[in-house]
Each structure stands twice: as structure tokens, then as C-alpha cells.
């Protein structure tokens, strides 16, 4: 129910109750006053009658004459209670009337001079008001029906009710106007307050209301402005904090006092493997013992120092801190790439040391033999010198490959693509490998597809890629053939080498492009490889925006090809 209706019903209730109270009070007081006035009149009439009643007069004739003149019932009672005259009874009927010496009004008249009583008449059967006055000859009594009083009181009551109804209608009209004037701004303030509670800060209360309602509207307006400013600042801070947390490589997990995860950034989701929408219970976090113990300690108010744990194959650094109002914050740092890089660095140092140790040992040994042994023959001296030269060349190749790889990885080298004739560039790049293949009796072929005869690539890098692949293929092929080929597809031009050599086991294929990785280290060193060629091929391909792909079957051969992406048309 609306406020206007409630105010209207309230006013209606108040006015209605007042009218009813007024009717009740007026009716009662009017009835009392009318009765008092009638009693006074009846007493006056009874005194006149008492004065007119003289000794020796016919009491019944006097009663009849007075009753006819006054329009009332007149009764004259002897001192012993006998009715001597009555305006409504004559003859035998008068004689049959009972004595009136016990009537209340008669007793009152004898005792006090005047007596009054209202009762149902035993002789007439109607309710009457009696007033009796003591007279010299007895008691003179005058009575009138109370129905007359009731009619007067009822008429007065009806008049008051009519007046009250009119007043009620007027009050309703005024109450409607007043209720509308009061309720309208209050309803508007209510709607604005509800909108604010629902988060709609665009609503503003009207400032045209009078009095205290206007003051309330102004206060609510100012509060809305301040709330909008503060919420805007909070949202800006929240957005900034969210952006900062999401930009961290470190995973952050916030848990409140209810043991619900209320904030988690993408780094933490990746480390923990969680995709549930927040908030979610901490029971959904991994069951790793170190994680659970640190979390429980932080929720209990104790921070934990950084510790390392293994989580789904990752090495994770974990730090837990309690929050002042209850809850905890977990910081997770994935150390797996760092540890992998450290392992790569250690392996790299060990591999370089190992790769250089063997030729250095040979060079040192033969050089020492040449310098200290005076009995070596010229043929032995030439053999030792040749070994020194070959191992020095091997060390030079390793150093050159390392320098090339370092320059490519560091970004100090960028390709300068030009349109190359694939067949001409390939023949130039594989000249040495083709000669080595002829020496081993391996057939060496070049297969250039008509649709892949031109490639956009850096000339030197292209020759190095094809040369490394061809050299590796010839090195590990004892018989059969080595083919350098090109083909085209939607991605660009593929240039690769296919051989019928010893092949590569499937478990080694994903790692053959790592530095110094060898499927068979002993055989690779015997063949003269540095272990860096395929790593250089991979990095040169990626520098061109392409990629490498390898397929192999043990005993049946290997195919390695490099994608050179199609040249993009110049921007308009």
C-alpha cells in the first residue's frame, strides 16, 4: 500500500473516530440536558397544579382539566396513597388504580418536596418520566412519555452524524491533498535510495521538496555525489590493482577468513592448474603437502619462509603470509624455466668443455711429441702435424658455430631476405656435401619443384641452413641417396633434405635441435660433427619467421625441412 493511501486512511480513521466520539458525547450530554430541562418543566407544571388544588375541589375534574391543558398525564394522590384524580382514568377505572404511596416520585415528593422517576407505567404500559410535588391536599404528579426525549435525542444525533460526515468528506479532501504533497517527495526519495542500494549511482533526488523533506533530499543528494566519487576511486584502484596483479609473473592467491579463494591471477591459475570461478573453497587447491601446511599456518596467523616444492612436474617457490583481518595470501613463483636454464647452462659448459677437451688433448699430445721426441720420422712428424691441424680445425668449427649461435640468439643478427633462385643457391651450398657423398658412394640429387624455385631468404643464412642439413645427411648415410628438395604450400616454401641413413629413434626427435644434443655421442664425434648444426638451423629458420620439422624411421632414413614463409605484399 502506498504512502498516500496510508496517510489518507490514517486521516480517515482519526476523523471517523473523532466524529464517533463527538456523537457519543453530544448524544449523552444532550439527553442529560433534555431530561433535566423536561424535569424542570414538569416540576413547574406540578407546582402550578399543586397550587391550584384547593380543599373541597373535585380532584378528578381538576386532573382532567390540567391534563387537557398541559397535554400530559396529570395525577393527584391523596396523603394515604389513593389516586383521587387522573387525566387518563375516570370512574371505575380510577377506583381500580393501585395506591401510589410506594411510587419513587411520590416518596421523594413527601420527603424532599419534589420527586422524580423514570419507569414503565404499570397502568399504561409505556415508559414515562414522572415528577411529583408535595401539595397541601397530597401529591400532584405530572408525567410525559420518554419516547419524546428519545425522538429529540435521535434527531440531534442524526444532525451531528450528518455534520460529521460532511466534515469527514472535507477532511478526506484536505488529507488527500496533504498526503500527496508529503508522500510524493518521500516516494521519490525512497526510489532513489533503492536505486542507490542496487548500485545505480546515476539517480539523484529532487531538491524542490519543502521543509525537512527538502533537507533530507539535499543530504541524500550530497551523499550520492560523495558515494559516486568514492566508488569511482575504489573502482579505479581495484582496476589498477587487478592490472598489477595480473601483470605479475608471480602467482598470487588471496584467501579470506571464510577459507574462500577471493582473488587469483592468471599466473597462479597456470601454476596450480585451476580454472574455477572465484570465489571457491580452498579445498579445490592442489593437495600438495607443503602447500597445505603453509596455507594452514598462514590462516592460523603465522607466515612461512619461502620454500620450494614440486607441483605437477613444476618446481615452485611458495611463500605464505597471513592477512590482518583473517585469511592469507600465497605467492607462487614457477622456477621451472630458471632451473631449466641453469641446467642448460651447466650442460652447455660441460658440453663445450668436453667438445674442446678431446681435440685439445690430441693437439697437446702430438705437439709435445713433436717437440720432445727427437727420434720420430718425417712421416710420423707429418702425421702428427696433420692430426694437430685437423683437431685445430675441429676446434675452430666449434668456436665459429658457437659464435654464430650466440649472435643469432642475442638478436645482433637479423636476416636480410632477398629473392633467391633455389636451385642455384642449393647447388652452391651443397658443393662440399656432394663431393663427400661421391666419395662414400652415396647418390646425391637435387629436386626443386617448379612452384618452389624462388624463395625469400637471407642468402648467407639459406646456404648455411641447406649446407648443414646436407652435411648431416651425408655424414649419417652409408649407402643409398641424399636428396635436397623444395616444395610449396599455403604457408610458403619448404626446403629440406631427405636421406636413407641410419635414422633417429622417435624418443630423440624432439631434442635433436638442442645444442650439443647427440643421439649417439660416440658416433657423432667420430663423424666429425660439432653438435651445433641443427641448433643453428632452427634459430636461422625462426629468425625468418619460419620453423623446422623432422621425420625419421630407424634404419630407413630422416627428412628435415625448413619453412620460409611467403613474402607479404607491401602495405598500401
Amino acid at each position: 500500500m502506498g504512502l498516500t493511501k496510508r496517510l489518507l486512511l490514517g486521516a480517515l480513521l482519526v476523523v471517523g473516530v473523532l466524529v464517533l466520539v463527538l456523537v457519543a458525547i453530544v448524544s449523552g450530554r444532550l439527553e442529560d440536558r433534555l431530561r433535566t430541562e423536561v424535569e424542570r418543566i414538569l416540576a413547574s407544571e406540578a407546582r402550578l397544579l399543586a397550587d391550584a388544588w384547593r380543599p373541597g375541589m373535585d380532584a378528578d375534574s381538576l386532573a382532567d382539566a390540567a391534563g387537557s391543558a398541559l397535554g400530559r398525564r396529570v395525577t393527584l394522590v391523596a396523603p394515604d396513597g389513593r389516586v383521587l384524580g387522573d387525566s387518563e382514568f375516570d370512574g371505575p377505572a380510577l377506583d381500580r388504580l393501585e395506591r401510589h404511596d410506594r411510587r419513587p416520585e411520590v416518596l421523594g415528593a413527601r420527603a424532599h418536596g419534589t420527586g422524580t422517576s423514570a419507569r414503565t407505567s404499570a397502568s399504561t404500559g409505556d415508559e414515562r418520566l414522572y415528577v411529583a410535588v408535595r401539595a397541601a391536599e397530597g401529591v400532584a404528579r405530572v408525567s410525559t412519555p420518554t419516547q419524546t426525549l428519545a425522538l429529540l435525542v435521535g434527531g440531534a444525533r442524526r444532525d451531528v452524524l450528518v455534520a460529521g460526515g460532511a466534515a469527514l468528506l472535507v477532511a478526506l479532501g484536505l488529507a488527500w491533498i496533504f498526503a500527496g504533497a508529503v508522500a510524493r517527495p518521500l516516494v521519490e526519495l525512497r526510489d532513489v535510495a533503492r536505486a542507490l542500494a542496487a548500485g545505480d549511482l546515476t539517480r539523484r533526488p529532487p531538491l524542490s521538496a519543502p521543509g525537512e523533506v527538502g533537507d533530507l533530499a539535499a543530504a541524500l543528494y550530497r551523499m550520492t555525489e560523495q558515494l559516486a566519487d568514492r566508488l569511482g576511486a575504489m573502482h579505479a584502484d581495484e582496476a589498477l590493482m587487478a592490472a598489477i596483479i595480473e601483470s605479475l609473473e608471480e602467482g598470487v592467491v588471496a584467501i579470506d577468513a571464510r577459507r574462500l579463494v577471493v582473488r587469483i591471477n592468471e599466473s597462479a591459475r597456470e601454476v596450480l592448474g585451476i580454472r574455477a570461478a572465484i570465489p571457491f573453497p580452498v579445498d579445490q587447491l592442489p593437495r600438495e603437502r607443503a602447500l597445505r601446511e603453509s596455507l594452514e599456518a598462514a590462516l592460523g596467523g603465522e607466515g612461512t619462509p619461502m620454500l620450494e616444492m614440486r607441483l605437477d612436474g613444476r618446481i615452485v617457490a611458495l611463500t605464505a603470509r597471513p592477512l590482518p583481518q583473517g585469511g592469507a595470501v600465497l605467492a607462487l613463483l614457477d622456477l621451472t624455466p630458471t632451473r631449466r636454464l641453469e641446467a642448460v647452462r651447466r650442460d652447455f659448459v660441460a658440453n663445450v668443455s668436453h667438445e674442446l677437451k678431446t681435440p685439445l688433448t690430441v693437439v697437446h699430445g702430438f705437439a709435445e711429441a713433436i717437440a720432445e721426441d727427437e727420434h720420430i720420422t718425417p712421416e710420423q712428424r707429418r702425421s702428427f702435424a696433420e692430426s694437430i691441424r685437423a683437431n685445430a680445425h675441429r676446434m675452430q668449427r666449434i668456436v665459429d658455430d658457437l659464435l654464430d649461435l650466440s649472435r643469432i640468439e642475442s638478436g645482433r643478427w637479423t636476416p636480410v631476405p632477398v629473392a633467391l633462385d633455389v636451385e642455384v643457391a642449393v647447388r652452391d651450398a651443397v658443393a662440399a656435401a656432394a663431393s663427400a657423398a661421391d666419395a662414400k658412394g652415396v647418390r646425391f640429387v637435387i629436386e626443386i619443384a617448379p612452384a618452389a624455385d624462388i624463395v625469400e631468404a637471407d642468402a648467407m643464412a639459406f646456404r648455411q641452413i641447406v649446407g648443414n642439413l646436407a652435411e648431416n645427411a651425408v655424414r649419417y648415410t652409408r649407402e643409398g641417396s641424399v636428396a635436397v628438395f623444395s616444395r610449396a604450400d599455403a604457408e610458403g616454401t619448404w626446403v629440406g633434405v631427405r636421406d636413407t641413413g641410419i635414422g633417429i629413434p622417435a624418443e630423440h626427435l624432439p631434442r635433436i635441435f638442442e645444442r650439443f644434443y647427440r643421439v649417439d655421442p660416440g658416433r657423432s664425434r667420430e663423424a666429425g660433427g660439432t653438435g651445433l648444426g641443427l641448433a643453428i638451423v632452427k634459430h636461422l629458420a625462426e629468425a625468418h619467421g619460419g620453423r623446422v620439422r623432422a621425420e625419421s624411421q630407424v634404419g630407413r632414413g630422416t627428412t628435415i625441412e625448413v619453412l620460409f614463409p611467403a613474402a607479404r605484399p607491401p602495405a598500401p
Side-chain angles (χ1 to χ4, degrees):
M1 185 182 294
L3 179 60
T4 302
K5 292 183 178 179
R6 292 200 299 272
L7 290 174
L8 190 61
L9 290 178
L12 177 62
L13 180 62
V14 170
V15 174
V17 170
L18 288 176
V19 169
L20 293 177
V21 171
L22 180 61
V23 169
I25 293 175
V26 169
S27 298
R29 293 178 67 84
L30 180 60
E31 186 174 2
D32 291 341
R33 291 188 178 183
L34 281 175
R35 180 167 179 161
T36 302
E37 183 64 22
V38 170
E39 288 178 354
R40 187 184 65 78
I41 295 172
L42 292 177
S44 299
E45 292 176 350
R47 288 190 189 95
L48 291 174
L49 181 60
D51 292 341
W53 189 12
R54 298 283 185 246
M57 292 182 65
D58 184 3
D60 189 43
S61 298
L62 178 60
D64 290 340
S68 177
L70 296 175
R72 307 185 192 280
R73 180 183 176 188
V74 176
T75 305
L76 298 175
V77 181
D80 59 359
R82 288 181 299 107
V83 179
L84 300 177
D86 193 299
S87 59
E88 293 186 6
F89 296 95
D90 293 313
L94 181 63
D95 293 335
R96 289 195 296 271
L97 292 176
E98 63 181 15
R99 290 178 178 271
H100 284 29
D101 56 339
R102 305 307 299 171
R103 298 288 193 270
E105 66 277 3
V106 174
L107 293 174
R110 289 175 177 176
H112 306 291
T114 302
T116 304
S117 176
R119 68 177 186 278
T120 301
S121 174
S123 54
T124 62
D126 58 347
E127 186 174 355
R128 287 179 168 272
L129 176 62
Y130 296 95
V131 177
V133 176
R134 186 171 55 202
E137 299 300 322
V139 174
R141 187 183 71 174
V142 179
S143 68
T144 185
T146 58
Q147 183 179 3
T148 305
L149 295 176
L151 292 174
L152 291 173
V153 173
R157 186 181 293 115
R158 284 192 299 274
D159 293 341
V160 173
L161 287 174
V162 171
L168 183 60
L169 292 176
V170 174
L172 285 177
L174 295 176
W176 178 266
I177 297 173
F178 173 76
V182 172
R184 190 177 304 108
L186 290 178
V187 170
E188 292 177 349
L189 290 178
R190 180 204 63 189
D191 294 340
V192 171
R194 286 181 177 175
L196 294 178
D200 182 6
L201 299 181
T202 61
R203 295 287 299 274
R204 294 293 185 273
L207 300 177
S208 58
E212 289 79 1
V213 177
D215 296 339
L216 177 61
L220 185 60
Y221 188 95
R222 291 193 299 271
M223 184 189 73
T224 305
E225 292 289 331
Q226 294 175 4
L227 185 61
D229 293 341
R230 291 178 182 177
L231 284 179
M234 288 176 59
H235 288 160
D237 292 343
E238 176 72 14
L240 177 61
M241 181 180 295
I244 292 174
I245 291 176
E246 288 298 331
S247 66
L248 294 176
E249 293 185 3
E250 189 175 20
V252 177
V253 182
I255 300 104
D256 64 9
R258 300 170 298 169
R259 301 177 70 87
L260 293 177
V261 175
V262 294
R263 184 180 290 276
I264 180 171
N265 64 355
E266 190 61 31
S267 298
R269 288 185 180 276
E270 184 177 351
V271 170
L272 299 175
I274 291 178
R275 290 297 161 195
I278 57 174
F280 59 86
V282 296
D283 294 340
Q284 296 188 26
L285 295 177
R287 309 298 298 179
E288 173 64 29
R289 179 178 178 181
L291 174 64
R292 290 291 174 173
E293 290 178 351
S294 298
L295 175 59
E296 293 300 329
L299 289 174
E302 297 182 6
T304 60
M306 186 180 71
L307 56 89
E308 290 188 14
M309 63 179 182
R310 288 195 170 272
L311 191 63
D312 294 334
R314 299 174 184 263
I315 302 173
V316 180
L318 170 66
T319 304
R321 292 288 184 270
L323 293 175
Q325 303 300 324
V329 172
L330 302 180
L332 304 158
L333 181 61
D334 188 1
L335 298 177
T336 307
T338 303
R339 296 292 184 263
R340 185 180 296 119
L341 288 176
E342 292 175 353
V344 170
R345 179 180 58 81
R346 289 194 300 269
D347 292 344
F348 177 75
V349 172
N351 287 330
V352 170
S353 301
H354 187 75
E355 293 294 332
L356 294 177
K357 182 178 180 180
T358 300
L360 280 174
T361 301
V362 173
V363 169
H364 179 268
F366 283 124
E368 189 176 66
I370 292 173
E372 296 180 358
D373 193 348
E374 298 178 352
H375 302 288
I376 60 174
T377 63
E379 289 78 10
Q380 289 176 323
R381 187 182 300 275
R382 283 194 298 272
S383 176
F384 290 169
E386 181 61 27
S387 295
I388 292 173
R389 186 191 65 79
N391 282 278
H393 178 67
R394 173 176 170 77
M395 287 189 291
Q396 182 65 46
R397 287 188 59 191
I398 292 174
V399 172
D400 289 342
D401 286 347
L402 285 173
L403 290 175
D404 289 344
L405 192 59
S406 174
R407 187 170 64 253
I408 296 169
E409 287 182 337
S410 64
R412 296 195 304 270
W413 177 86
T414 55
V416 181
V418 295
L420 295 177
D421 186 308
V422 175
E423 184 171 1
V424 172
V426 165
R427 290 188 181 279
D428 185 27
V430 302
S435 299
D438 289 342
K440 294 177 65 174
V442 174
R443 187 166 59 93
F444 197 95
V445 297
I446 298 175
E447 302 171 354
I448 307 300
D453 58 345
I454 302 295
V455 67
E456 289 283 339
D458 184 275
M460 184 178 296
F462 182 86
R463 290 181 178 89
Q464 191 171 4
I465 289 171
V466 176
N468 279 340
L469 294 179
E471 183 181 344
N472 276 348
V474 172
R475 183 180 297 124
Y476 296 108
T477 302
R478 297 190 182 94
E479 58 184 12
S481 64
V482 172
V484 180
F485 65 91
S486 70
R487 63 183 181 87
D489 62 12
E491 294 183 274
T493 301
W494 293 86
V495 178
V497 176
R498 180 175 55 250
D499 63 58
T500 58
I502 59 177
I504 302 171
E507 65 270 18
H508 294 285
L509 273 177
R511 300 191 60 189
I512 62 174
F513 294 101
E514 295 179 9
R515 290 173 294 187
F516 295 114
Y517 185 81
R518 291 185 173 91
V519 177
D520 186 347
R523 180 179 298 175
S524 297
R525 291 190 181 92
E526 290 175 2
T530 65
L532 295 172
L534 291 181
I536 293 174
V537 168
K538 176 176 179 291
H539 283 83
L540 288 175
E542 292 175 350
H544 283 79
R547 65 179 188 274
V548 295
R549 184 165 60 191
E551 297 178 356
S552 182
Q553 292 184 6
V554 176
R556 300 188 64 179
T558 302
T559 299
I560 300 177
E561 53 185 344
V562 177
L563 171 66
F564 293 92
R568 297 179 180 177

